Amino acid sequence: MDSVQIETASSLILELPQIPQLQAPLTPTPSSKSSTRFTKNAIRTSLKASTADAVFAAVFSLATGGILLSNFLVELDASPVVFGMMSSIPMLVNLIQPLGAYLSERSTSRFQYALWTVGIGRLLWLILLIGVVGFSWGWVYSLQLEILTLSIVLASHLLGGLGSASWLSWLAVIVPRKLRGRYFGIRNSAASLTNLLCVPLAGLLISHWYGGTLQGYGVVLLVSIVFGMLSLGCQYFKLDINPKVQNAIVEYPRQQAENSNTAKSLPKTTSLPVNTTDSIWKNSNFLMFLFYSALWMLAVNLSAPFFNLYMLDTLHLDVSWVTLYASLQTGANMLLMIFWGKLADKIGNRLILIFIGVLVAVTPFLWLGIDTNNFDLWFCLPLLHILTGGTWAAIDLCNNNMQLEIAPIKNQSLYFAIASAVAGFSGALGTTIGSCIAQFAQHGGLLGIFALSGMLRLVALIPLVFVRE
């Protein structure tokens, strides 16, 4: 039997290269907790804290998204429109990320900015916890609780969107470039393993809670909020960065060059301002990728939010069954991620996206024959979720790699921001259209959405053929 050597986060951190010392200008002055001098021990502590942050954040996400929140809405008899809105909100908030980046660059501490954005966003879930208690005591009606849930999802994700760009920039400075791939692989694996273990346990707790499933969800929500605060506490032990000092260090060579009034004195890493908007619209390869991304996200999200709804509401499966299937999907995704990464290095990302994309497009059709007999419960549904997890590991990995391949080195962040905004908007549009169609039984309901999504996924792969990697 083949054996696989697994690297732990602690063993990886010990391999850190020598980190150069960065000397900031005298102005602007960093905050008391900020520092621009990176030592090896400080980097090690920051990476360990970031890994713990990912694990605790995975526990926080148990009740604030995914299958457990979907089951909560099913218990409230929420309509498909509510499910579509809940799924479209996280994608729509991508449009606010540029504003978040603008605000974060005018702060003096990445850590403090995270507290004011992500921290407040997580504390808002306490309001839903109060609503669950009020519903149990008869003070709140189901429709009011549905509206409250959607409002908190919107507000918390908006605040999270404001802090997302700052968080990515924070980690980009802390994590050494040579270790980014391996470190983020280990960090993501730790978070996936946490989900794999905790989601079934949380599902069992909710379904067997003596006070009912809604009270059980309230208990899980309380635990999730506590772990969300612990996640933010881990960020205190990471090297804090003052964005103003960071930008001053980057701009200092350019300011020297401009003061010399000679173009020849510009450093090699410094370039004169260009019209980046014109260059993007002239990049036909990137525009074709945007066209593929928009169609793909529209087709996928036309049905993606409704598979859990179909199992919980139409098939009337217990939430413990659905969480078990979700864990199988997560496990397959985690195990096959390394395989797809090695294969992509050999044959490229585009070929994998095309061939595996066909499997992903066919998957919704496989749901048309699913029933509640023992064969489907014990064989077909587990196999279907394993197939979904394994194929989506390839899609997610290769889509990200394709963006890195086709975006020019200059102004990469602008290309990524546009791609994220387009994907978020088209994905939200897909969930909105799907939720509207699901309301009308004459169009086939959820099964009709699955079939339509499968056909559109096949069509969305056509522009990918013309994208050059």
Side-chain angles (χ1 to χ4, degrees), residues 10-22:
S10 57
S11 64
L12 174 61
I13 294 171
L14 292 177
E15 300 175 11
L16 279 170
Q18 182 65 38
I19 306 299
Q21 301 291 324
L22 300 181

Side-chain angles (χ1 to χ4, degrees), residues 176-208:
R177 181 177 296 274
K178 293 183 179 180
L179 297 181
R180 284 180 184 173
R182 285 188 293 168
Y183 172 72
F184 284 115
I186 291 174
R187 187 181 188 275
N188 295 341
S189 296
S192 297
L193 180 61
T194 303
N195 277 323
L196 186 65
L197 297 175
C198 294
V199 170
L201 294 177
L204 287 173
L205 188 149
I206 292 175
S207 61
H208 293 87

Side-chain angles (χ1 to χ4, degrees), residues 50-60 187 190-191 194 227:
S50 180
T51 303
D53 173 22
V55 171
F56 290 144
V59 179
F60 168 75
R187 187 181 188 275
T194 303
F227 275 85

Side-chain angles (χ1 to χ4, degrees), residues 154-177:
L154 175 60
S156 63
H157 279 88
L158 279 174
L159 289 168
L162 289 175
S164 179
S166 177
W167 179 82
L168 287 174
S169 179
W170 191 4
L171 280 188
V173 174
I174 292 176
V175 181
R177 181 177 296 274

Side-chain angles (χ1 to χ4, degrees), residues 280 283-291 406-407 415-416 418-419:
I280 290 176
N283 190 331
S284 59
N285 196 45
F286 178 73
L287 293 179
M288 184 61 68
F289 179 80
L290 281 184
F291 185 44
I406 67 175
Y415 283 80
F416 296 156
I418 292 176

